[in-house]
Amino acid sequence: MPWYIYIALRHLFPKGKRFPFFTAMSITGVALGVAVLIIVPSVFNGFQAEIRRNLADAYGDLRVEARTIINNHRQLTETVLAEEGVKRAVPYAHGMVMMQYANRPTFPLVQGIDVSSDEELDTVASHIVEGDIDDFYDDSVIISTGIATALKLRVGETAMIYNQQLLEQLTRDEVPLPREVEIAAIVETGWYEVDENTVLCTLRFMQELYGLGEGVHGIKAYVESGYDADKVANSLNGKLGIDFWASSWRFANREMLAILEFENRMMFFLLFIILIVSAFSIMSSLLISVIRKTREIGVFSSMGATASQVAACFCLQGVVIGIVGAAFGFVLGFSLIGVREEITSAISNFMGVAESMSEFYGFAYLPIDVQSDDLVRVAILAIIISTLAGIVPAFKAALMKPVEALRSE
Amino acid sequence: MSNPILNGSGLAKHFRSGDKDIEVLRGVDISLAEGEFVSIQGESGSGKTTLLNLLAGLETTDAGEITWGEHVVSSLKINSLAKRRRGFIALVFQSYYLVPEIDAISNVGLGARIAKIDGDWRSRAESLLERVGLEERKHSLPNTLSGGERQRVAIARALAASPKVVLADEPTGNLDEGTGDGIIALLKDLCLEEKVGLILVTHNNIHASLADTKYHLKDGLLHQTS
């Protein structure tokens, strides 16, 4: 081992019982910065993954739509299913109705779903918070938690649905009769836009409500894992002709996703400042070390050490602090991630906001998504920042004239 | 005496203190042969340490020429001087200047490692520590050693670089008389054994009298004494 590496390590970790206070402080600074840069983006990524999952559940991976009602939806569904990467495609119809219960009206968005698809029913069932998917049939509906709260509706109760066809009956002086529907279940996806104002009914019921006959509004498709919904949608657009277009859930929610991505980047940038602060702590520690060891530097020079070797000795200390700090930061970060539930429940209990997370975020737990790209980025950044922090003291040491270093008090 | 391995001729150095120019050295001539022991005495502030620094290439001269072996070094840059110093010149200081974070054997070994001496630095350091009588303390940290022991480690560190010349600047300045006598005797013997030229700067007449050649620095000039 070259002498300057040996001395760099011994300056950081001296032999004997001397506690390396400066080293400990510098490493702690980097470790805390790295831990925060692991934990916070992972939590953000976890939230985003949950939001994306809910978005994809509600929208499907992609949708094929047309300007008019799609009457030949079976043929279109076959075309979509034939596309490479598409694992499932189901027709849907959607629209707005007035729903009334005990003189309280609301205007939900109604989604007609294909109950012949087990996967479609399973997806709905996975979000049911009250009721049973088995009670879902043509004269029953599933409502979101927002509707249930607004109309004070419970599972098993009956509500009235008024649709646009009733208005047409009025113009013909006919007596409009609303449809009575039973509440089969209540769902919650965690996605505000869906949970606030959604009613699910069977596709057949929706076709009746909107007078669609056998027609539908679109085809909802899901892609195999490993396939990019955007690419599949683009490929479909090349085959469907000008009357139809396919768009991925990502495209449909691009504004929301752009905001999430922007938030993620800004948050990383802000947290990055912690590493900068720890870099200044490293720099000041190493500068103090250079000043304390001025004579030692002079002695090294008198023994034949070159300026670059002296510089390397101090610069390496920054590198080692970065590597060890990043390693401790990883351990600390993953340890805290491992006990995140205990920490969040303790904080919630302490602050008396135990319900707030599920209330506002729709998650009863703290989702985590640790991305290897982020880990590599954080580790490299920590080491680069620590190395840069070591460069200024290293230059100061290297530029010392031996005789002046030896004369220093 | 054989040919000089270290030679300084017409060495001059001045320092500026406020508005005043202080001429510390005014044309000093000095030479050192292989294995020769030279002592330099003089009043405090007479320029003894400055002369050693010039000879060691740690400081630049205003005038004059310094030769290490065959090479004129007075015009070399700091890094070139540092590389030439390896295995040629070693210094022993009054305050030892050991690295406090490493033990005695590592401090001694540092001399060999920086000078890039061939062979195992550890065995060389052990052998030198044995010769200075500190084989039992080789794993001791500097702060657990006495002043005399630290200076012996410093001497071993200087010799670990296999130098041709040792420049010792008041190496007994921080030691009691008895310990100091032992250190000088040790330094002299080791240099003689290794055929290393030794220039000793000292205030101690007895130590100076042990030298082959004795100088007194006064008014910026070097005078040989009997």
Side-chain angles (χ1 to χ4, degrees), chain B residues 23-26 46 216-223:
Chain B
E23 273 198 289
V24 181
L25 301 174
R26 298 185 295 143
S46 60
H216 191 87
L217 187 60
K218 190 174 184 187
D219 300 329
L221 293 170
L222 208 53
H223 307 279

Side-chain angles (χ1 to χ4, degrees), chain A residues 303, chain B residues 87 106-117 156-158 160-162:
Chain A
M303 291 162 77
Chain B
S106 300
N107 263 291
V108 175
L110 202 54
R113 294 168 85 174
I114 293 179
K116 295 187 173 174
I117 300 302
R157 179 179 68 183
S162 294

Side-chain angles (χ1 to χ4, degrees), chain A residues 1 3 6 10-11 14-16 293 295-296 299-307 309 402-403 406-407, chain B residues 15 53 58-59 78-79 82-83 85-86 89 91 93 97 99-103 106 110-111 113-114 141 157:
Chain A
M1 183 192 295
W3 69 269
Y6 175 74
R10 283 287 163 249
H11 276 173
K15 280 186 176 178
K293 297 190 177 296
R295 283 189 178 177
E296 207 172 282
V299 174
F300 293 152
S301 301
S302 78
M303 291 162 77
T306 59
Q309 288 174 330
V403 73
L406 287 168
R407 274 200 203 115
Chain B
F15 292 105
N53 287 340
L58 297 174
E59 196 154 15
I78 287 179
N79 262 351
K83 287 176 186 169
R85 210 178 288 128
R86 294 174 189 164
I89 282 183
L91 289 100
F93 304 95
Y97 297 154
V99 180
E101 291 89 357
I102 57 178
D103 57 18
S106 300
L110 202 54
R113 294 168 85 174
I114 293 179
L141 288 170
R157 179 179 68 183

Side-chain angles (χ1 to χ4, degrees), chain A residues 343-361:
Chain A
I343 293 172
T344 48
S345 69
I347 292 171
S348 297
N349 291 334
F350 178 72
M351 296 175 74
V353 287
E355 299 299 319
S356 62
M357 197 157 73
S358 57
E359 188 178 336
F360 294 119
Y361 294 102

Side-chain angles (χ1 to χ4, degrees), chain A residues 301-355:
Chain A
S301 301
S302 78
M303 291 162 77
T306 59
S308 56
Q309 288 174 330
V310 171
C313 180
F314 285 91
C315 196
L316 276 168
Q317 293 182 44
V319 177
V320 172
I321 287 170
I323 292 171
V324 178
F328 274 111
F330 270 62
V331 172
L332 181 64
F334 281 106
S335 302
L336 291 175
I337 282 173
V339 294
R340 65 187 183 279
E341 292 305 326
E342 289 78 0
I343 293 172
T344 48
S345 69
I347 292 171
S348 297
N349 291 334
F350 178 72
M351 296 175 74
V353 287
E355 299 299 319

Side-chain angles (χ1 to χ4, degrees), chain B:
Chain B
M1 277 294 166
S2 55
N3 287 334
I5 50 167
L6 176 70
N7 194 70
S9 60
L11 301 179
K13 186 72 182 175
H14 79 283
F15 292 105
R16 225 177 147 69
S17 174
D19 293 339
K20 285 185 4 184
D21 254 348
I22 301 168
E23 273 198 289
V24 181
L25 301 174
R26 298 185 295 143
V28 168
D29 296 318
I30 186 170
S31 70
L32 181 74
E34 188 179 278
E36 187 184 5
F37 178 10
V38 167
S39 68
I40 301 172
Q41 288 189 283
E43 302 282 312
S44 294
S46 60
K48 304 183 296 295
T49 298
T50 301
L51 177 57
L52 276 197
N53 287 340
L54 291 181
L55 293 172
L58 297 174
E59 196 154 15
T60 53
T61 57
D62 294 341
E65 191 174 83
I66 297 165
T67 311
W68 292 352
E70 305 284 309
H71 307 284
V72 176
V73 297
S74 36
S75 57
L76 294 179
K77 302 277 183 199
I78 287 179
N79 262 351
S80 305
L81 278 166
K83 287 176 186 169
R84 284 213 179 270
R85 210 178 288 128
R86 294 174 189 164
F88 189 84
I89 282 183
L91 289 100
V92 177
F93 304 95
Q94 180 179 340
S95 298
Y96 333 121
Y97 297 154
L98 301 178
V99 180
E101 291 89 357
I102 57 178
D103 57 18
I105 189 167
S106 300
N107 263 291
V108 175
L110 202 54
R113 294 168 85 174
I114 293 179
K116 295 187 173 174
I117 300 302
D118 292 337
D120 178 24
W121 66 264
R122 194 172 291 277
S123 57
R124 177 163 180 77
E126 274 182 4
S127 147
L128 281 162
L129 279 175
E130 195 180 328
R131 286 164 75 183
V132 298
L134 286 176
E135 66 273 29
E136 300 297 320
R137 306 299 306 272
K138 63 184 178 186
H139 293 306
S140 302
L141 288 170
N143 63 356
T144 64
L145 299 172
S146 68
E149 287 173 330
R150 288 185 209 185
Q151 194 59 287
R152 280 191 275 166
V153 172
I155 290 168
R157 179 179 68 183
L159 293 172
S162 294
K164 300 273 186 288
V165 176
V166 168
L167 305 177
D169 189 3
E170 298 184 44
T172 60
N174 286 346
L175 303 173
D176 63 71
E177 198 178 321
T179 308
D181 291 346
I183 289 291
I184 294 302
L186 177 70
L187 190 57
K188 186 188 172 192
D189 290 347
L190 287 173
C191 287
L192 203 60
E193 282 173 30
E194 302 272 330
K195 293 186 180 167
V196 173
L198 171 65
I199 297 181
L200 172 72
V201 165
T202 181
H203 286 290
N204 188 303
N205 291 331
I206 297 168
H207 298 163
S209 69
L210 298 171
D212 304 317
T213 311
K214 298 169 269 297
Y215 289 109
H216 191 87
L217 187 60
K218 190 174 184 187
D219 300 329
L221 293 170
L222 208 53
H223 307 279
Q224 192 166 352
T225 57
S226 56

